[in-house]
Amino acid sequence: MVDAIRNGRPAGVTIEDAVRALATVRALYVSATLGRPVLIADVVAGKYNDVEVRTGNGHFEEVSA
């Protein structure tokens, strides 16, 4: 994206695509931590911003929006 800005050309992905991708990953982590389904739209809306998620190493990691 930075390269696209520097060279005045379109980025390979849109900001919306990037946000959706990150929200999808966050939803997966939140869902695994809570043990229930989580809507991506709810993650984007900030519903789970206060949830600390479990990472693959077994530690809790605070992730802020």
Side-chain angles (χ1 to χ4, degrees), residues 26-39 42-43 47-55 60:
R26 172 84 172 139
L28 290 169
Y29 276 98
V30 171
S31 177
T33 298
L34 298 178
R36 60 184 167 89
V38 169
L39 296 175
D42 288 343
V43 171
K47 182 175 179 179
Y48 299 101
N49 285 355
D50 62 339
V51 175
E52 293 182 8
V53 298
R54 290 181 198 249
T55 62
F60 281 101

